Amino acid sequence: MVANLEATIEDLYALPHEQKAEIVNGEIVLMSPTGAAPNYAATEIVVSLRNYSRRTKKGYAVSDNGAFRVDLPNRKSFSPDAAFYTGKWTGMKFFEGAPVFAVEVRSEGDYGPAAENAMAMKRADYFAAGTLIVWDVNLLSDEVIKSYRAGSPDQRVFKRGETADAELAVPDWSMPVDDLFIEVEN
């Protein structure tokens, strides 16, 4: 009889440092690199959160490929595109526990019924792990940011020209939605 071995956090540590991955349902799920626009948007969010952290001396802005170790029945880690973390500093190890604020920026392949289902399941996991606010950033939609709050079935929507926040998770922080876009001269 052959036992099924589940992936561990140590398996994630063994991956090449540039490889983004999560442990879901006992398996390592590799995540594709992202394109210019989604990367730019995630970077703008991280920079804004870093400025907030420096100003308030609270929490840590976490960029793409930062890993959060969690202990859910079906998930052992997260690697959001941007996040804000208020837990204990872990040095060279993964962050312990979920971020209070997580951001998932949609890439080219993150559209359609299967993607919507996967996003909803991941949001549920974030909330089960203790995340307070999750942003679903869709740069191709008029509803650029859908902000989901733990324990609430409702979502807030932020559009271009508006200022978005994650008030429950990151008090007194906000950023213009327009900052997620870069105007390219042709």
Side-chain angles (χ1 to χ4, degrees), residues 5-186:
L5 298 178
E6 289 196 7
T8 66
I9 292 296
E10 289 71 29
D11 295 328
L12 281 185
Y13 280 119
L15 291 175
H17 70 277
E18 66 277 359
Q19 180 61 62
K20 184 174 177 175
E22 297 177 339
I23 299 177
V24 183
N25 295 322
E27 296 181 7
I28 292 178
V29 177
L30 300 178
M31 303 167 95
S32 299
T34 191
N39 179 266
Y40 181 85
T43 300
E44 286 298 305
I45 295 166
V46 169
V47 168
S48 182
L49 288 168
R50 185 189 67 179
N51 291 340
Y52 168 86
S53 178
R54 286 182 171 176
R55 178 174 50 83
T56 64
K57 306 283 190 256
K58 296 178 184 173
Y60 308 98
V62 181
S63 63
D64 191 23
N65 207 19
F68 295 85
R69 182 181 180 151
V70 297
D71 189 19
L72 297 175
N74 63 317
R75 179 182 287 277
K76 300 302 175 199
S77 70
F78 290 108
S79 187
D81 297 314
F84 194 74
Y85 178 73
T86 58
K88 183 180 172 186
W89 183 248
T90 56
M92 301 298 279
K93 298 294 185 184
F94 297 153
F95 294 95
E96 278 294 329
V100 293
F101 173 48
V103 179
E104 296 291 339
V105 181
R106 290 177 185 244
S107 294
E108 269 187 316
D110 293 334
Y111 295 90
E116 292 300 326
N117 186 47
M119 296 284 274
M121 289 174 34
K122 189 169 187 179
R123 265 193 313 277
D125 286 348
Y126 274 122
F127 295 141
T131 300
L132 301 175
I133 300 283
V134 177
W135 277 7
D136 176 356
V137 178
N138 181 342
L139 301 172
L140 302 179
S141 173
D142 289 336
E143 297 181 339
V144 179
I145 298 171
K146 290 184 180 174
S147 179
Y148 296 87
R149 181 178 177 168
S152 174
D154 299 327
Q155 63 188 342
R156 292 176 62 197
V157 173
F158 299 102
K159 300 177 180 183
R160 288 188 83 153
E162 297 180 343
T163 300
D165 66 69
E167 190 59 37
L168 180 67
V170 190
D172 301 318
W173 171 81
S174 64
M175 68 176 293
V177 174
D178 290 345
D179 285 0
L180 303 180
F181 298 90
I182 189 166
E183 300 304 323
V184 179
E185 293 182 26
N186 291 328

